Amino acid sequence: MNPKLNGRNMRKAFDSQVYQVMIVANKFQTGFDQPKLVAMYVDKKLKGVECIQTLSRLNRTCNEKGKDTTFVLDFINNPRDVLDEFKVYYQTAELMDVSDPNIIYTLMESITDAGIFYWEEVERFVEAFYNKKTNQAQSINICKPAIDRFKQKYGEAAHSIEETQGNLKHITRDSDQINTQRYEIQLSKVKERKDRLDI
């Protein structure tokens, strides 16, 4: 399920800078302590202890790792049902800040505007997804052009920020106010470009 692990231990791979998304079925629902774990995407029904143990993988922030919040996007479970499961074990459990389900459309607009995917690629993926003969490698292959586009655009944006910050630092040192202002505007624009890709 996780390509490019190349035989590495999944826990160690996930702790690196390179491997930042992990897809699991029932693995690590209990006993997986990774302070950098920030977000979880749930696409299966969770009940009882399994519900508590799974969602508790995100049970704390970790400031030294730059983790000041946690996030769960659940495609299956009703928030009230999850709250009821937690109340069995935690009497003070309460429901707060349930996301607007329309946020997924905002996300779609964001990656569409960024030119990450083409609609024919989406249609090909949907067709493959519902075809029982499609294997994992074929599904990944359909997604690869969009992944490569994202990596390229993100890399270019990050490089532009680094380059502009370097220029700004050099200009500021020379007390060149006109060019300082120009590079500050440019930096703001390239940061905005990268922010649109931080999805």
Side-chain angles (χ1 to χ4, degrees), residues 31-71:
F32 179 56
D33 185 23
Q34 172 47 266
K36 289 191 293 186
L37 190 63
V38 172
M40 183 181 294
Y41 301 85
V42 180
D43 69 347
K44 64 182 282 187
K45 191 72 180 167
L46 296 173
K47 286 187 73 64
V49 176
E50 182 188 54
C51 176
I52 312 303
Q53 289 177 325
T54 301
L55 298 178
S56 293
R57 297 307 93 210
L58 294 168
N59 66 352
R60 65 182 182 278
T61 59
C62 186
N63 290 332
E64 59 268 24
K65 299 283 187 183
K67 175 185 170 184
D68 56 10
T69 187
T70 58
F71 176 79

Side-chain angles (χ1 to χ4, degrees), residues 10 23 25 30 38 44 47 50 52 67 69-70 83 93 99 105 107 112 124 133 135 157 164 168 172 174-175 194 198:
M10 195 179 284
I23 302 168
T30 61
V38 172
K44 64 182 282 187
K47 286 187 73 64
E50 182 188 54
I52 312 303
K67 175 185 170 184
T69 187
T70 58
L83 178 61
S99 297
Y105 297 108
L107 177 61
T112 302
R124 276 177 50 222
K133 293 180 182 177
N135 61 38
T164 307
L168 184 59
T172 305
D174 294 344
S175 302
K194 182 177 171 286
D198 280 327

Side-chain angles (χ1 to χ4, degrees), residues 55-117:
L55 298 178
S56 293
R57 297 307 93 210
L58 294 168
N59 66 352
R60 65 182 182 278
T61 59
C62 186
N63 290 332
E64 59 268 24
K65 299 283 187 183
K67 175 185 170 184
D68 56 10
T69 187
T70 58
F71 176 79
V72 177
L73 179 58
D74 193 330
F75 295 96
I76 303 295
N77 301 281
N78 182 294
R80 282 272 160 213
D81 294 341
V82 170
L83 178 61
D84 289 343
E85 297 295 351
F86 268 85
K87 279 191 168 178
V88 173
Y89 302 92
Y90 303 99
Q91 299 301 315
T92 57
E94 58 183 299
L95 197 58
M96 296 174 62
D97 299 330
V98 177
S99 297
D100 178 356
N102 291 315
I103 199 168
I104 197 75
Y105 297 108
T106 306
L107 177 61
M108 181 181 165
E109 279 177 26
S110 180
I111 58 175
T112 302
D113 291 345
I116 303 299
F117 68 90

